[in-house]
């Protein structure tokens, strides 16, 4: 079955370290998204991509970057992790920007000490 | 202008009862309104969605009611079941985009047997 997988599922890191969260989907979806989920804020869009070599900033992009070198993967990098980036991160993909359902991965819980 | 406000934060309903979750928005450019359901440890999953050309959409026990003039929409869960216990998020987007979503804060629903 096609799916979307995130790794690692749990990570603890220290302030200032670079962290990369992986997202891999096997649906061949062009559109991929990264959201973070925090209590009281729901989910907020960090970055998104509509295809290979395309990346765009979302609502809360400061301190994060993404790259899209192929259709299947959209890794999220925290250049210098901060305690404010402690959160649960969700990757999602959709087949079409205007009619397709958004499919989420199971999340990556990141703790920055 | 970009916010979606969701209430209540938590809700307890008896089995067989009706669960009602409300959302309000300010941006009149929003034209796609989905509801996502999330179980603990899982990613959100699309439950039902509506576009502003209709005032109500029903799928099984789940109904979205949409009031364009009041800029409000709500989720009604009829005959609520313990298996419906989850966190529910409303969301909205512009241009009919199904991936670039502004989420509400979430409602944790507990259905008591």
């Amino acid at each position: 079955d096609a799916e979307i997988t995130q790794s690692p599922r749990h990570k603890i890191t220290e302030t200032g370290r670079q962290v990369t969260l992986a997202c891999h989907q096997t649906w061949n979806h062009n559109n991929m998204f990264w959201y973070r989920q925090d209590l009281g804020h729901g989910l907020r869009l960090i970055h998104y991509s509509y295809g290979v070599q395309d990346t765009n900033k979302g609502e809360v992009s400061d301190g994060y970057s993404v790259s899209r070198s192929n259709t299947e993967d959209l890794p999220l990098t925290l250049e210098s992790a901060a305690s404010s980036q402690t959160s649960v991160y969700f990757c999602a993909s959709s087949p079409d920007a205007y009619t397709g359902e958004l499919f989420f991965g199971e999340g990556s819980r990141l703790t920055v000490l | 202008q970009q916010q979606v406000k969701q209430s209540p934060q938590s809700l307890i309903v008896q089995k067989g009862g009706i669960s009602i979750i409300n959302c309000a928005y300010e941006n009149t450019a929003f034209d796609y309104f989905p509801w996502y359901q999330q179980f603990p440890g899982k990613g959100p999953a699309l439950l039902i969605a509506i576009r502003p050309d209709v005032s109500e959409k029903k799928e099984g026990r789940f109904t979205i009611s949409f009031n364009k003039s009041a800029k409000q929409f709500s989720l009604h869960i009829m005959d609520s079941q313990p298996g419906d216990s989850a966190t529910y998020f409303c969301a909205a987007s512009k241009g009919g985009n199904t991936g670039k979503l502004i989420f509400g804060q979430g409602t944790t629903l507990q259905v008591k047997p």
Side-chain angles (χ1 to χ4, degrees), chain A residues 9 33 35 37 40 42-43 48 50 90 96-98 100-102 104-106, chain B residues 36 38 41-44 46 51 89 95-101 103-105:
Chain A
R9 295 292 312 277
F33 305 81
Y35 283 86
Q37 183 175 13
L43 292 95
Y48 60 100
Y50 287 146
F90 287 97
D96 182 276
Y98 299 99
E101 174 181 346
L102 196 59
F104 282 86
E106 296 201 327
Chain B
Y36 278 79
Q38 183 181 30
K42 301 294 185 182
L46 180 65
R51 297 184 189 269
F89 293 95
N97 194 303
T98 59
K100 285 179 59 183
L101 300 172
F103 281 87
Q105 296 84 350

Side-chain angles (χ1 to χ4, degrees), chain B residues 22-64:
Chain B
N22 300 298
C23 284
Y25 63 97
E26 289 295 324
N27 192 336
T28 55
F30 287 152
D31 57 6
Y32 173 69
F33 304 91
W35 285 89
Y36 278 79
Q37 179 189 55
Q38 183 181 30
F39 293 104
K42 301 294 185 182
L46 180 65
L47 188 62
I48 187 172
I50 198 169
R51 297 184 189 269
D53 51 342
V54 296
S55 59
E56 185 175 282
K57 183 174 181 180
K58 184 176 181 180
E59 290 185 2
R61 296 184 294 108
F62 300 90
T63 300
I64 298 179

Side-chain angles (χ1 to χ4, degrees), chain B residues 58-107:
Chain B
K58 184 176 181 180
E59 290 185 2
R61 296 184 294 108
F62 300 90
T63 300
I64 298 179
S65 296
F66 181 76
N67 186 329
K68 189 174 182 178
S69 61
K71 292 183 284 186
Q72 295 176 348
F73 58 110
S74 60
L75 176 69
H76 295 236
I77 306 174
M78 311 300 289
D79 186 28
S80 298
Q81 299 297 312
D84 297 331
S85 298
T87 300
Y88 293 82
F89 293 95
C90 64
S93 70
K94 297 182 290 187
N97 194 303
T98 59
K100 285 179 59 183
L101 300 172
I102 303 294
F103 281 87
Q105 296 84 350
T107 297

